[in-house]
Amino acid sequence: PPPRLSRSSRLLKRAVDVALAAAGLVALAPLFALVALAIALDSRGPVFFRQTRIGAGDRPFRIWKLRTMVVDADERKDEVAHLNKHAHEGGDRRMFKIPDDPRVTRVGRFLRRYSLDEAPQLLNVLCGQMSLVGARPLVVDEDRHVVNWARRRVDLKPGITGLWQVAGRSDIPFDEMVKLDYVYVTTWSLWNDCRLLARTLPVVARARGGY
């Protein structure tokens, strides 16, 4: 039978999430103010971007991110579909990732480079929708391609960082991403979470953000 997290393990993971997320929001508050001003001056539109993702137990939630694209980015998606890295290299259209996406703003490129656009997800962690470490939170169009054994990825809350994020992010194909998420969920330990958090710091410092 597949391993299941005990109630005490889940409570411990939640306690660590709340403590670190709260501390992170307080520490990053001045930076958020500066970034919000830069976004507002760089392009029209809201500072934050909200998008529906699939969370633990197949429950949808709205993720918080700093806006890195122009306001009509979704309407222009068909215009740039031919630039999709995964569709171009392997014919796999399940994941939509574009290097040097023309819809990304100047400030947005900087935020993505250092993964700063992901920082507001600390709010999702405090609200109990996400964890600091976990599987990648998929959009609805991506989630529908995850079937059978791979659905185990939603046994735990999705994370701000995780195996996918530290192993290569946007360069990793869809199937490999799903396997990494499965491995994380089925072998969870607090030590593994701490190790992945530690591995995330040098990835961010080297400006290996996604796109």
Side-chain angles (χ1 to χ4, degrees), residues 73-86:
D74 284 340
E75 289 76 10
R76 294 172 54 187
K77 189 173 181 179
D78 289 341
E79 298 177 16
V80 297
H82 64 286
L83 300 175
N84 183 0
K85 172 185 175 69
H86 296 283

Side-chain angles (χ1 to χ4, degrees), residues 35 37-44 66-71 76 100-114 116-117:
V35 170
L37 179 61
I39 292 173
L41 293 175
D42 183 50
S43 62
R44 66 181 182 87
L66 290 168
R67 182 176 60 83
T68 60
M69 289 188 172
V70 294
V71 291
R76 294 172 54 187
D100 300 319
D101 194 322
R103 300 172 299 167
V104 177
T105 63
R106 290 175 299 175
V107 170
R109 294 190 190 283
F110 175 83
L111 296 177
R112 288 188 173 201
R113 183 177 182 183
Y114 292 96
L116 293 174
D117 58 313

Side-chain angles (χ1 to χ4, degrees), residues 25 28 32 36 39 46-54 60-68 111 115-131 137-139 158-161 169:
L25 284 172
L28 293 174
F32 282 153
I39 292 173
V47 170
F48 294 102
F49 172 72
R50 305 292 307 278
Q51 188 180 50
T52 299
R53 302 289 180 101
I54 303 300
F61 71 98
R62 297 193 72 193
I63 202 171
W64 285 92
K65 297 185 72 173
L66 290 168
R67 182 176 60 83
T68 60
L111 296 177
S115 300
L116 293 174
D117 58 313
E118 311 284 351
Q121 290 165 35
L122 293 170
L123 292 170
N124 292 113
V125 174
L126 281 184
C127 291
Q129 300 160 326
M130 292 181 66
S131 176
L138 298 180
V139 297
I160 298 178
T161 188
R169 300 192 66 169

Side-chain angles (χ1 to χ4, degrees), residues 45 51 73 156 184 201:
Q51 188 180 50
L156 293 178
Y184 168 79
L201 297 177

Side-chain angles (χ1 to χ4, degrees), residues 142-162:
E142 293 173 340
D143 180 77
R144 63 187 177 90
H145 295 294
V146 181
V147 297
N148 301 325
W149 57 267
R151 296 303 304 174
R152 288 294 308 280
R153 71 188 311 280
V154 296
D155 284 0
L156 293 178
K157 296 172 185 176
I160 298 178
T161 188

